[in-house]
């Protein structure tokens, strides 16, 4: 009941809002939707199976560069290219997952951090193919450029992602994710193949990052090593943590709030990621359930005075 | 003569320099209830951990239902039919009681059952251990006794042929112990599950077991019927040694 009351007007808002927005705010909304995809899919591994991966932005970079380079070098249309990019990202996801998930914990974080940096360095240095920090110009999705079309493309794909994530979290697989997060040994002793469960989550999440990155690249039409950078990664992390890790709504909320906020802060220089990082640390320490947790608490207090 | 359900041959396990298990041989027949006793640190829990695959034995072999299991992973051993509880209970704290049981049902890996059907089945296990009214409580909100019941229900829900119970009676008062023993009786007679259990509550384990295995400092020092165990000088010494220390 509650859910329909909130989500119906929200859907209307998201469909009609763009007609009232300036080109600039339309752009902010499109970027926000990109971060919704990124933060929500990262939440699947970090929030639901407890694997803090730093490779998520790197997988977005894989998606963007694979699709972009295919388009530039052999003329493969972006519509097809992003699926190839997604596929490559998921393959790398399986491989990296296989490599470091057995190690778990801090080793997973370190390995993914290393992977991420190596990828960024390769992209920066192989400028014959990627044009390095100059950026690679790639075609967009639509022959006639229109922010409105991109907005709806991003909205639809985000909705599909969220639908998939929602179904996944509320399925048997989602229960297994949470069991692994709660107590890996107890889950294994209950017959759950914990390694398989974690690799599966990692792969799905990598694939989603790959697709999000591909969309993002073909929207910007200029891709740079900033896409797979750690700055980008920390922004996604901050969105999920501040919004509320391990909850479905948290990363969505975090993505919109932080992206809009960073538009205001950006005029003071590129310190917003640092600032968000610090806030995320504070949130992780003092309100681990993030904004969603705080709102829920308030709600309960109001309901039963 | 009935079938051997679990057999260990020369099972050994050390932690660093500490030999927690030294060449243990043992057999459990199908349908039996066998008690495993011994002073603190004797290696009882370690034996359960080795049987359930938490860590492989350093040496020796384990057979379950005639199948070599000593190199299998915990989830594989569980699926073959060995369920276990943990001495220090390990429920999924941030999940509800119903979800805790569901994990065991999902872990069986059966196909063709919907989540709703599994929920229904899970409720029966909660009913069995008297937690039906706690179905939607988070496991972290349970009392210790309730957590122990949940632990047993979770092990049963994996549909085991052999159940390993590690000190499920510890911390219970006499009337709760009686209830628990009744439960164990039903598990054995109606569900036809072989039971291997560790207990420090001597009265209970002696009364309810067919056979007792005694470990001391990683060695099997005695094995036999309860009445043979209580009068054995080596066993008495092992326990006296502990109380003197
Ligand atoms: N994971 C481990 N790492 C290192 N040492 C361990 C480990 N597990 C057990 N030990 C040691 O092995 C020995 C046997 O421990 P175990 O837990 O099997 O004893 P137990 O018979 O179950 O005792 P209790 O009755 O106190 O539960 C102890 O000395 C213990 O400290
Ligand atoms: Mg023990």
């Amino acid at each position: 009941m509650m859910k329909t009351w909130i989500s119906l007007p929200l859907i209307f808002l998201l469909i009609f809002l763009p007609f009232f927005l300036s080109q600039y705010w339309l752009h902010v909304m499109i970027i926000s939707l990109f971060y919704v995809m990124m933060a929500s899919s990262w939440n699947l591994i970090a929030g639901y199976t407890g694997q803090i991966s730093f490779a998520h932005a790197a997988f977005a970079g894989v998606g963007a560069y694979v699709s972009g380079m295919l388009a530039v070098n052999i003329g493969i249309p972006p519509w097809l290219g992003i699926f190839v990019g997604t596929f490559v990202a998921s393959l790398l996801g399986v491989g990296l997952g296989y490599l470091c998930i057995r190690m778990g914990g801090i080793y997973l974080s370190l390995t993914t951090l290393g992977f991420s940096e190596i990828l960024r360095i390769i992209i920066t240095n192989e400028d014959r193919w990627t044009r390095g920090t100059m950026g690679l110009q790639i075609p967009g999705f639509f022959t006639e450029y229109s922010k409105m079309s991109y907005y709806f493309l991003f909205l639809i794909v985000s909705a599909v992602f969220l639908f998939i994530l929602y179904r996944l979290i509320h399925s048997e697989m989602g229960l297994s994710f949470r069991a692994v997060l709660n107590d890996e040994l107890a889950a294994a002793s209950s017959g759950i193949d914990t390694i398989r469960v974690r690799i599966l989550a990692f792969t799905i999440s990598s694939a989603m990052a790959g697709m999000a990155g591909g969309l993002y690249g073909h929207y910007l039409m200029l891709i740079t090593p900033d896409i797979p950078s750690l700055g980008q990664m920390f922004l996604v992390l901050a969105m999920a943590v501040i919004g509320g890790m391990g909850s479905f709504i948290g990363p969505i909320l975090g993505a919109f709030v932080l992206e809009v906020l960073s538009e205001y802060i950006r005029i003071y220089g590129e310190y917003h990621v640092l600032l968000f990082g610090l806030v995320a640390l504070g949130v992780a320490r003092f309100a681990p359930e993030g904004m969603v947790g705080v709102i829920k608490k308030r709600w309960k207090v109001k309901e039963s005075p | 003569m009935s079938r051997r359900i679990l057999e260990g041959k020369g099972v050994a396990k050390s932690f660093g320099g500490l030999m927690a298990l030294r060449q243990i041989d043992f057999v459990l027949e199908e349908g039996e209830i066998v008690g495993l006793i011994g002073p603190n640190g004797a290696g009882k829990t370690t034996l359960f951990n080795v049987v359930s695959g938490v860590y492989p034995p350093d040496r020796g072999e384990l057979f379950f239902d005639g199948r070599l299991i000593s190199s299998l992973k915990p989830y594989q051993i569980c699926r073959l039919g060995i369920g276990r509880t943990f001495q220090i209970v390990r429920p999924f704290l941030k999940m509800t009681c119903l979800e805790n049981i569901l994990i065991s049902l999902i872990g069986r890996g059966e196909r063709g059952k919907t989540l709703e059907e599994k929920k229904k089945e899970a409720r029966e296990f909660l009913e069995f251990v008297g937690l039906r009214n706690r179905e939607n409580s988070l496991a972290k909100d349970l009392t210790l006794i309730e957590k122990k019941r949940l632990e047993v229900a979770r092990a049963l829900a994996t549909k085991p042929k052999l159940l390993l119970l590690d000190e499920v009676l510890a911390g219970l008062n006499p009337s709760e112990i009686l209830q628990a023993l009744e439960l164990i009786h039903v598990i054995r007679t109606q569900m036809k599950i072989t039971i291997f259990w560790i207990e420090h509550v001597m009265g209970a384990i002696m009364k309810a077991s067919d056979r007792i295995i005694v470990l001391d400092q990683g060695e099997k020092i005695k094995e036999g019927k309860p009445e043979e165990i209580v009068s054995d000088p080596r066993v008495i010494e092992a326990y006296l040694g502990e109380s003197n220390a």
Side-chain angles (χ1 to χ4, degrees):
Chain A
M1 269 313 275
M2 261 308 285
K3 275 184 190 156
T4 22
W5 275 111
I6 296 178
S7 54
L8 270 182
L10 203 67
I11 290 170
F12 270 99
L13 186 74
L14 285 170
I15 291 177
F16 291 109
L17 185 72
F19 297 103
F20 302 98
L21 290 179
S22 66
Q23 289 290 298
Y24 170 71
W25 281 105
L26 204 49
H27 169 77
V28 173
M29 288 298 284
I30 294 170
I31 302 298
S32 301
L33 286 171
F34 163 68
Y35 284 120
V36 166
M37 299 182 219
M38 290 296 284
S40 294
S41 53
W42 186 73
N43 184 39
L44 182 69
I45 42 172
Y48 286 93
T49 67
Q51 315 174 81
I52 306 296
S53 158
F54 288 110
H56 213 56
F59 288 124
V62 169
Y65 273 92
V66 166
S67 183
M69 293 196 312
L70 284 176
V72 171
N73 295 315
I74 40 177
I76 288 188
W79 297 107
L80 194 62
I82 55 166
F83 286 101
V84 181
T86 306
F87 181 68
V88 174
S90 61
L91 278 190
L92 283 171
V94 178
L96 192 62
Y98 220 83
L99 206 74
C100 59
I101 278 172
R102 283 158 210 278
M103 304 188 264
I106 186 77
Y107 298 102
L108 177 116
S109 297
L110 288 175
T111 314
T112 50
L113 194 79
F115 171 79
S116 181
E117 272 305 272
I118 290 169
L119 191 82
R120 191 186 58 80
I121 291 167
I122 291 176
I123 289 174
T124 309
N125 291 336
E126 291 299 313
D127 48 10
R128 208 155 46 96
W129 298 99
T130 63
R131 311 226 43 203
T133 46
M134 299 265 294
L136 182 67
Q137 274 188 323
I138 64 173
F141 284 108
F142 309 103
T143 39
E144 211 167 307
Y145 184 82
S146 124
K147 282 214 163 42
M148 193 67 86
S149 315
Y150 274 104
Y151 173 81
F152 282 107
L153 174 64
F154 275 57
L155 186 64
I156 290 168
V157 180
S158 304
V160 171
F161 273 27
L162 292 177
F163 177 75
I164 294 173
L165 288 171
Y166 188 86
R167 290 297 297 267
L168 202 61
I169 291 162
H170 293 88
S171 70
E172 294 189 1
M173 188 49 69
L175 279 173
S176 310
F177 288 167
R178 285 168 57 208
V180 170
L181 175 66
N182 269 257
D183 190 327
E184 190 150 0
L185 178 57
S189 300
S190 307
I192 303 290
D193 184 350
T194 55
I195 300 286
R196 185 176 154 270
V197 163
R198 295 175 68 176
I199 290 182
L200 196 75
F202 200 80
T203 307
I204 294 170
S205 148
S206 313
M208 285 187 166
M211 168 137 326
L215 290 171
Y216 186 64
H218 288 293
Y219 165 65
L220 297 177
M221 297 201 283
L222 178 75
I223 52 178
T224 67
D226 274 347
I227 301 179
S229 70
L230 285 179
Q232 186 83 276
M233 182 63 238
F234 284 116
L235 188 56
V236 170
L237 181 148
M239 286 167 169
V241 171
I242 294 173
M245 236 169 44
S247 89
F248 182 72
I249 303 292
I252 306 175
L253 201 62
F256 276 109
V257 171
L258 263 62
E259 170 54 25
V260 171
L261 262 182
S262 59
E263 288 305 315
Y264 286 105
I265 306 177
R266 196 160 298 180
I267 44 173
Y268 303 108
E270 290 286 325
Y271 293 114
H272 60 285
V273 174
L274 186 68
L275 178 73
F276 290 155
L278 289 177
V279 174
L281 272 182
V283 168
R285 172 71 184 79
F286 296 105
E289 284 168 32
M291 285 163 39
V292 165
V294 173
I295 292 169
K296 265 190 195 157
K297 255 182 217 154
R298 277 285 151 79
W299 201 279
K300 264 183 201 151
V301 172
K302 265 190 206 158
E303 261 180 351
S304 52
Chain B
M1 199 66 216
S2 67
R3 226 154 45 98
R4 296 181 164 186
I5 190 160
L6 182 69
E7 179 167 16
K9 288 183 182 163
V11 176
K13 173 79 200 166
S14 358
F15 299 105
L18 182 100
M19 304 244 272
L21 294 175
R22 317 164 187 243
Q23 316 270 349
I24 308 274
D25 296 297
F26 65 96
V27 171
L28 263 72
E29 310 275 341
E30 194 169 29
E32 265 192 314
I33 171 163
V34 177
L36 180 61
I37 66 168
N40 290 111
K44 305 180 295 293
T45 299
T46 304
L47 185 61
F48 274 19
N49 282 339
V50 168
V51 170
S52 60
V54 175
Y55 18 73
D58 298 338
R59 260 168 298 129
E61 289 165 329
L62 286 155
F63 296 90
F64 175 66
D65 248 354
R67 229 183 119 150
L68 185 68
I69 57 164
S70 18
S71 58
L72 298 185
K73 301 207 176 69
Y75 83 90
Q76 294 169 316
I77 292 177
C78 173
R79 285 186 185 182
L80 283 178
I82 301 184
R84 72 166 294 181
T85 68
F86 290 92
Q87 181 171 356
I88 299 164
V89 290
R90 307 182 73 128
F92 305 114
L93 291 172
K94 290 183 186 164
M95 295 170 76
T96 65
C97 289
L98 190 71
E99 288 170 338
N100 265 270
I101 309 290
L102 274 175
I103 292 298
S104 299
L105 295 175
I106 293 167
R108 289 184 200 164
E110 296 167 340
R111 294 190 187 277
K113 267 192 199 162
T114 66
L115 192 56
E116 277 314 309
E117 285 166 336
K118 287 183 184 170
K119 279 186 185 165
K120 200 166 149 252
E121 197 176 344
R123 290 195 183 96
E124 287 165 18
F125 284 104
L126 285 176
E127 178 85 57
F128 181 69
V129 296
L131 284 177
R132 182 62 209 279
N133 57 340
R134 299 291 255 150
E135 152 179 348
N136 292 317
S137 310
L138 292 181
K140 72 182 165 70
D141 297 329
L142 300 183
T143 64
L144 179 64
I145 310 297
E146 287 174 326
K147 280 184 188 147
K148 288 205 160 179
R149 291 187 187 167
L150 183 63
E151 188 89 353
V152 173
R154 222 173 44 167
L156 283 175
T158 66
K159 219 181 200 175
K161 295 185 198 122
L162 168 68
L163 186 60
L164 310 176
L165 299 172
D166 196 345
E167 298 202 23
V168 284
L169 303 185
L172 304 196
N173 67 34
S175 79
E176 288 163 343
I177 289 181
L178 281 182
Q179 279 176 18
L181 286 179
E182 226 155 85
L183 224 58
I184 289 172
H185 182 72
V186 174
I187 293 172
R188 195 186 161 201
T189 53
Q190 290 177 18
M191 301 182 167
K192 307 253 182 284
I193 296 172
T194 309
I195 295 176
F196 195 16
W197 60 327
I198 298 173
E199 220 31 88
H200 278 298
V201 182
M202 282 306 145
I205 199 163
M206 290 300 173
K207 204 176 86 187
S209 305
D210 297 331
R211 226 156 30 91
I212 303 277
I213 294 173
V214 190
L215 288 187
D216 184 29
Q217 294 177 28
E219 269 178 287
K220 185 171 89 175
I221 57 169
K222 178 78 187 170
E223 177 176 358
K225 297 223 153 44
E227 55 273 17
E228 299 165 19
I229 299 294
V230 284
S231 54
D232 187 272
R234 278 192 74 184
V235 177
I236 294 168
E237 197 194 275
Y239 274 90
L240 280 180
E242 186 196 25
S243 56
N244 287 345

